[in-house]
Amino acid sequence: MRTTWDCIVIGVGGIGSAATYWLSKLLGKDVLALEQFRLGHEHGASQDHSRIIRLSYHTPEYTALTPATYDAWAEVEAESGQQLVFRTGGLDIAPAGQEAVLASYASSMQTAGIPFESLSAREAMERWPQWQLQADDRVLFQAESGLVDPRRAIQTQVALARAHGATVMDETKVLDIQPHVSGGADVITTGGTFHAGNVVVCADAWT
């Protein structure tokens, strides 16, 4: 087992598997990803059947980033042949007195040139009768919102990363990260110590 890598990714959930995939496209076999549990475990933030993806956010800075997420997932889907993003449309709902929340969403999307619809409660319930809203509720609808299947996404990104030459080790817990005298860092794990010029920590709550 080699011990020196260009980049080590710690954590192979939704973010870590994505980091591993994109790094593997740049660095190939010089990427190592470490996961403390078995791949596909249920102890993290990504292990579920769905996570939201959307263009509607409360600040222009967030909203400006959102189109790139769709582009990134589209590239993963194209390379893998797997559908990961499911566009369902999304509703943002605010009760009377809290219209300012929706106003910030609307302003952010207008700034980014993202189309959306502003609806009354009655109009929303006519289109989606499963919703029972108050008469003075306000609603924004954005058609590109939807879901990402994180379990399938993690599996897909790990498979693609390995195909690009990356090494992914599960059941390997990171115990410490220490700066190395010659640069980079030593990553001390239950499976040995590895050295890398760059370390990406994607450990979420386990940090």
Side-chain angles (χ1 to χ4, degrees):
M1 179 69 187
R2 60 185 285 193
T3 58
T4 301
W5 307 80
D6 191 0
C7 188
I8 294 176
V9 178
I10 299 172
V12 190
I15 301 298
S17 63
T20 304
Y21 164 66
W22 290 99
L23 285 166
S24 73
K25 296 183 71 171
L26 294 173
L27 304 173
K29 60 183 178 58
D30 289 322
V31 178
L32 171 65
L34 302 170
E35 169 57 53
Q36 65 172 323
F37 302 111
R38 290 181 61 86
L39 293 176
H41 66 83
E42 297 182 351
H43 307 297
S46 303
Q47 285 68 26
D48 202 350
H49 59 82
S50 64
R51 285 291 182 268
I52 193 170
I53 184 170
R54 57 185 171 138
L55 297 170
S56 63
Y57 276 89
H58 59 289
T59 65
E61 293 80 8
Y62 273 111
T63 303
L65 295 172
T66 57
T69 65
Y70 286 82
D71 294 340
W73 284 120
E75 189 165 335
V76 175
E77 288 179 321
E79 185 173 351
S80 66
Q82 296 288 322
Q83 182 180 4
L84 303 174
V85 176
F86 299 83
R87 288 174 171 81
T88 62
L91 301 176
D92 294 303
I93 304 169
Q98 298 186 30
E99 296 88 348
V101 175
L102 288 192
S104 65
Y105 279 65
S107 176
S108 296
M109 288 190 284
Q110 287 172 338
T111 299
I114 295 170
F116 65 93
E117 299 177 57
S118 180
L119 305 170
S120 67
R122 180 183 57 80
E123 291 170 329
M125 289 189 292
E126 286 175 353
R127 292 171 66 174
W128 300 281
Q130 64 269 36
W131 284 98
Q132 297 299 308
L133 304 177
Q134 300 299 312
D136 50 5
D137 289 347
R138 299 301 304 177
V139 180
L140 294 182
F141 172 69
Q142 209 294 313
E144 293 301 305
S145 296
L147 304 173
V148 175
D149 184 333
R151 290 180 294 196
R152 184 184 297 181
I154 292 169
Q155 294 170 355
T156 298
Q157 292 180 134
V158 167
L160 292 176
R162 284 172 164 162
H164 286 294
T167 298
V168 180
M169 295 174 58
D170 62 357
E171 297 187 291
T172 306
K173 184 176 183 177
V174 172
L175 304 174
D176 198 7
I177 305 171
Q178 298 180 351
H180 195 275
V181 292
S182 63
D186 289 327
V187 179
I188 301 167
T189 80
T190 54
T193 297
F194 304 99
H195 176 75
N198 304 277
V199 177
V200 182
V201 180
C202 302
D204 195 59
W206 294 99
T207 304

